[in-house]
Amino acid sequence: LMTSPVHVVELSKPIFQGGKFIRRLRLRVPTEADLREAQEFDGTVGERGLYHLARLCNVSPRALVKASDDDLEALQAAYERVA
């Protein structure tokens, strides 16, 4: 059984979720279900993108929105490599 590849993004500033600080995010390759769910998300394009990235990193959008702009850009760049 093969597992989906992931890309690890080291955060310049940790984010907080579930009572702990997260210093790196593991971004997995999106599935068709992920893409469909992101399309159905009711929000702005920016909110939809944040929701989608959060889902692929297994963190909440509330936690991910607290990441720095540089970290979000790195995450977006990693997404473009794995998607």
Side-chain angles (χ1 to χ4, degrees), residues 6-83:
V6 296
H7 187 83
V8 177
V9 175
E10 298 284 337
L11 301 176
S12 62
K13 296 179 185 174
I15 58 175
F16 192 76
Q17 176 177 283
K20 63 181 179 180
F21 286 100
I22 298 169
R23 291 179 170 74
R24 71 177 56 94
L25 295 173
R26 294 173 50 87
L27 176 73
R28 65 177 173 78
V29 174
T31 64
E32 183 64 27
D34 293 320
L35 298 173
R36 287 183 183 180
E37 187 166 324
Q39 289 173 344
E40 294 170 2
F41 182 79
D42 188 28
T44 67
V45 172
E47 291 167 338
R48 184 178 303 131
L50 187 73
Y51 170 82
H52 185 57
L53 287 175
R55 178 180 169 92
L56 297 178
C57 292
N58 199 32
V59 296
S60 74
R62 283 186 182 184
L64 190 56
V65 77
K66 294 178 182 171
S68 73
D69 287 344
D70 288 343
D71 288 339
L72 289 174
E73 286 178 18
L75 191 57
Q76 183 64 39
Y79 173 78
E80 291 170 8
R81 287 192 295 274
V82 301

